[in-house]
Amino acid sequence: MLVEALHRNVRFVGEAMDALALGPRTHDHLLELACGEFDLQWDTAAPVRDRTGWLAVTGMVDLFDRQVHLTEAGRRFLATIELGRPELDVADTVAQLAPTPGAIARLVEQLDETGLRGRADGANLYIPGVAANGGVLDALQVLTEAAIPSVSDADFVRFVQSTFPKAQTVATARTAKDTLKALGLIQRTSSESWTATPAALAWVESGEPLDLARTVHSAIAFFGEVLGELDQTIRPTTGTLTERSSRYVPNRGKPLSRSAVNTRLNLLDACGLVTRLSQTAYRTTARGRAFKESLPCFQPDGAGSRAPSDGATKNHHGDDPLGTTHQSDSPGSRIAAVLEDAARDSANPERLEKAAVVALDYLGMPGQHAGGPGAVDGHVRFGIGTDSRILAIEAKTSATGPVRDQPLFGLSEHRVGIGAQIHLLIGPGFERRMLKEADDDPAIAVIDTGLLAEVVRRQEQTPLTLTQLAPLVDPALKAAQRGDALRACWEAQDIRSRLEYALVDILNVEAEDPLEEGGWLDLTSIRRELRTRGYRVDEGTVVEALEFLTSSRIGVLQRSEQRYRCAASVHTAGQRIRALGYQWVAATQHDQQTRSRDEATHAWLTPRSD
């Protein structure tokens, strides 16, 4: 039954029906219930309307008189399902933690500042099996037990391949083995064999998930620290966590991949330290808060934090009252930080006006600040050449939450004054009625400053073109839809990067196989290997990625008719791709120096009019 599948896989479907059993509700009432009791991070009633629309199609509810009514069919179905209840996990709850075994306690004791900095990045984590419902713990335990008392490299690879259907290639099995090493669960006994570490043995014996979590925290960066990031008033998404991760991996110098962050979140979830709120949102549980306070954690300002003996919560964000984190050493992070701070500075609204212009300019939309009564706050140009258009800016500040009761009349006259057809309404969230009025206006695009700051921060690591940035300024989209549209673009780039990495790795493995002369693979074989790694991509996408890697500017693959082979290691491939960025920066600096020199020469040769 369709509605049963929806309830089983989507939050707040059956639960919405349960609320309607007490009487009809408006969509706004259901939204308040979803946010207040189920901690769903929804800014508008759009997700609620989606669910009531599904239920109406299946005959479970009826929509009339601006309210949602449960039908008799809905009541009968409601009696047959199990409902998910809100998790009672208030901030004041204190969880009791089980004692730590000696081998694991010694690992934690070694986490002074040097120990915290010396942890592995954990950048390429892969745990085979099912991530949900604790499956990740089962997989790690099975793999760890395979190394008791010891196991050879070859036998371990064969064990992974025979145990996990999605880990059939040698490369995937090796990645699983490397993951166990990175997590502190196995160690070498010789050049060809492995054994479980003392900490892993203690965890297998106790069966306590927290013993595994302590071992992992002692081995890789940005694990226990994730709990502190999630426990902020403004809870970050997985995308934001990915960007912030660079502050916690000092040996890496750049953010982790979203896959590496998701692996950490899945493991924390399996250990009961976080709870999943949506596809991209998590919350630290009471157990997670107690666990974090029991650990030494890395502080982004450069000092390792010993766990406070009195249980007091430490502020891991310096003196920032918002608890936000920034990469202060990058232009995008500085621009984003100013934007977020200015959005709360109601005493000086001109700061946000200027910050919005600077942020959009950084994204490739040049413009200028205007301000003053009866005029736009600023304007930017979107697009290149004759296809470009002018976008007006209206910036609104609020020190206490969403912007409330700010008039929007007169904006159309302001647009006429500068030849703009679209207004960007920018602020730190908007009160529901004001947001609806702006969202319903076909000439206004509502942009939350939090989202704009996220886009600016991500522009350095995952830059979007103006075409890809179009959802940010498209007035046809509701404010709640912009983030999802942009994250789809980021995710597509992440997937493409992982695909390119997989292609180079597959061909490297083929080149190292002594039974395969020359290391050549045709397109069909490559796609088969990709499918064993879980990639479901069409032939055109694979060919496009292969052509990029064989291009003269990259040149890490070679092509002969329809066959490909590796011409460089995975490490060298990464160096080649990074080098393109350095070369562009050097070319830009050279061009700027040449222009400055030419302008100075022209000024010197031009006779003065006086």
Side-chain angles (χ1 to χ4, degrees):
M1 186 177 182
L2 175 59
V3 67
E4 183 178 357
L6 287 171
H7 171 65
R8 189 168 56 248
N9 294 284
V10 181
R11 296 189 72 196
F12 202 66
V13 173
E15 292 74 19
M17 296 173 63
D18 186 48
L20 296 173
L22 301 176
R25 303 251 188 145
T26 66
H27 284 104
D28 284 345
H29 288 155
L30 289 173
L31 174 63
E32 291 175 2
L33 175 69
C35 296
E37 295 189 25
F38 290 86
D39 204 14
L40 292 168
Q41 308 298 297
W42 294 341
D43 297 323
T44 72
V48 176
R49 293 182 188 277
D50 288 340
R51 285 155 174 78
T52 58
W54 302 335
L55 293 171
V57 168
T58 56
M60 299 294 107
V61 303
D62 196 5
L63 308 175
F64 60 90
D65 292 339
R66 297 184 178 182
Q67 290 186 316
V68 187
H69 303 253
L70 189 66
T71 64
E72 285 304 315
R75 292 183 186 278
R76 289 194 298 272
F77 174 75
L78 184 60
T80 67
I81 62 174
E82 182 178 349
L83 298 172
R85 299 297 179 184
E87 180 182 347
L88 299 177
D89 184 24
V90 297
D92 293 336
T93 302
V94 178
Q96 298 297 318
L97 305 182
T100 308
I104 298 173
R106 286 190 289 275
L107 284 180
V108 175
E109 289 171 359
Q110 295 171 9
L111 291 179
D112 55 12
E113 180 177 351
T114 301
L116 289 168
R117 286 183 171 275
R119 293 176 298 173
D121 293 342
N124 298 306
L125 301 178
Y126 168 66
I127 302 174
V130 180
N133 302 321
V136 63
L137 299 186
D138 293 338
L140 289 176
Q141 182 169 343
V142 166
L143 291 170
T144 301
E145 290 175 342
I148 302 174
S150 67
V151 64
S152 70
D153 272 309
D155 286 345
F156 195 94
V157 167
R158 284 191 287 270
F159 176 79
V160 174
Q161 292 175 305
S162 63
T163 307
F164 300 98
K166 292 186 178 180
Q168 294 300 299
T169 67
V170 172
T172 304
R174 287 174 178 169
T175 303
K177 177 195 67 183
D178 292 341
T179 296
L180 253 66
K181 178 179 182 295
L183 298 181
L185 298 177
I186 61 173
Q187 61 188 8
R188 280 201 176 275
T189 56
S190 72
S191 61
E192 298 180 350
S193 62
W194 299 83
T195 188
T197 63
L201 291 172
W203 165 55
V204 169
E205 182 178 351
S206 71
E208 169 57 58
L210 291 189
D211 290 341
L212 171 65
R214 292 185 182 100
T215 301
V216 172
H217 175 75
S218 300
I220 64 170
F222 199 49
F223 186 72
E225 292 82 0
V226 172
L227 301 171
E229 287 285 342
L230 289 175
D231 208 25
Q232 301 302 317
T233 303
I234 303 175
R235 194 175 292 117
T237 63
T238 53
T240 307
L241 281 174
T242 298
E243 292 304 304
R244 293 184 182 181
S245 67
S246 64
R247 307 178 73 245
Y248 294 89
V249 282
N251 303 323
R252 181 175 173 82
K254 64 178 181 179
L256 297 165
S257 68
R258 183 171 294 203
S259 173
V261 172
N262 279 334
T263 300
R264 286 163 165 82
L265 289 167
N266 287 334
L267 189 48
L268 289 166
D269 187 12
C271 292
L273 302 176
V274 304
T275 184
R276 186 171 183 169
L277 304 177
S278 69
Q279 189 68 22
T280 60
Y282 292 77
R283 179 186 65 201
T284 306
T285 63
R287 193 184 199 202
R289 284 190 290 272
F291 176 76
K292 177 184 174 296
E293 293 306 318
S294 72
L295 293 173
C297 288
F298 182 76
Q299 285 188 338
D301 60 8
S305 164
R306 294 303 303 179
S309 57
D310 59 359
T313 301
K314 288 209 171 197
N315 179 5
H316 292 277
H317 303 285
D319 298 325
D320 186 350
L322 294 178
T324 53
T325 60
H326 312 298
Q327 299 175 41
S328 59
D329 58 340
S330 68
S333 296
R334 290 193 293 269
I335 292 170
V338 171
L339 179 73
E340 291 174 320
D341 188 54
R344 302 295 182 184
D345 188 1
S346 297
N348 187 8
E350 188 176 286
R351 280 190 66 207
L352 180 59
E353 298 168 6
K354 294 179 178 179
V357 172
V358 171
L360 293 167
D361 179 79
Y362 182 77
L363 297 175
M365 304 176 216
Q368 64 182 50
H369 172 250
V376 297
D377 293 336
H379 57 81
V380 296
R381 179 166 59 89
F382 183 87
I384 304 296
T386 57
D387 293 333
S388 64
R389 49 186 172 155
I390 301 299
L391 310 179
I393 294 175
E394 182 75 12
K396 301 290 187 182
T397 62
S398 173
T400 58
V403 177
R404 298 177 180 273
D405 303 324
Q406 294 277 350
L408 299 179
F409 59 85
L411 294 187
S412 58
E413 289 82 357
H414 296 173
R415 293 195 295 273
V416 170
I418 62 170
Q421 295 181 326
I422 295 174
H423 231 114
L424 307 180
L425 180 61
I426 301 174
F430 296 88
E431 179 268 334
R432 191 170 300 156
R433 281 172 293 186
M434 184 180 177
L435 177 63
K436 185 179 186 306
E437 179 186 352
D439 265 345
D440 290 344
D441 191 319
I444 297 179
V446 183
I447 304 176
D448 190 289
T449 49
L451 175 62
L452 182 55
E454 182 180 0
V455 177
V456 168
R457 286 193 178 98
R458 296 197 65 153
Q459 193 67 0
E460 290 191 351
Q461 296 294 334
T462 317
L464 301 181
T465 65
L466 283 178
T467 300
Q468 294 168 321
L469 284 168
L472 181 66
V473 298
D474 184 359
L477 290 178
K478 304 296 186 184
Q481 298 172 322
R482 297 189 197 286
D484 289 340
L486 291 166
R487 290 181 186 103
C489 291
W490 290 323
E491 183 65 20
Q493 289 204 49
D494 288 341
I495 291 173
R496 177 58 182 269
S497 296
R498 292 197 291 272
L499 171 62
E500 291 165 356
Y501 173 89
L503 290 170
V504 176
D505 189 52
I506 287 169
L507 291 168
N508 261 280
V509 172
E510 187 70 12
E512 293 175 0
D513 190 335
L515 300 179
E516 298 296 335
E517 184 178 351
W520 293 95
L521 279 181
D522 59 23
L523 184 58
T524 301
S525 299
I526 291 173
R527 293 190 67 198
R528 184 183 301 116
E529 285 293 325
L530 285 171
R531 284 194 295 273
T532 64
R533 297 189 180 203
Y535 290 89
R536 296 292 186 267
V537 289
D538 60 85
E539 181 177 320
T541 302
V542 176
V543 170
E544 184 181 352
L546 288 167
E547 292 301 309
F548 168 69
L549 294 167
T550 57
S551 66
S552 59
R553 288 287 280 157
I554 304 298
V556 297
L557 298 185
Q558 294 176 341
R559 185 182 66 182
S560 175
E561 297 179 347
Q562 295 301 312
R563 298 192 307 159
Y564 299 85
R565 72 174 179 182
C566 240
S569 67
V570 172
H571 176 68
T572 301
Q575 289 178 320
R576 293 280 289 179
I577 293 172
R578 283 194 301 271
L580 292 180
Y582 301 144
Q583 290 162 11
W584 267 86
V585 171
T588 302
Q589 294 173 342
H590 175 76
D591 181 70
Q592 291 173 345
Q593 292 169 357
T594 302
R595 287 174 184 240
S596 298
R597 188 165 55 249
D598 290 347
E599 289 171 0
T601 302
H602 177 75
W604 182 74
L605 293 175
T606 302
R608 295 175 59 182
S609 59
D610 56 355

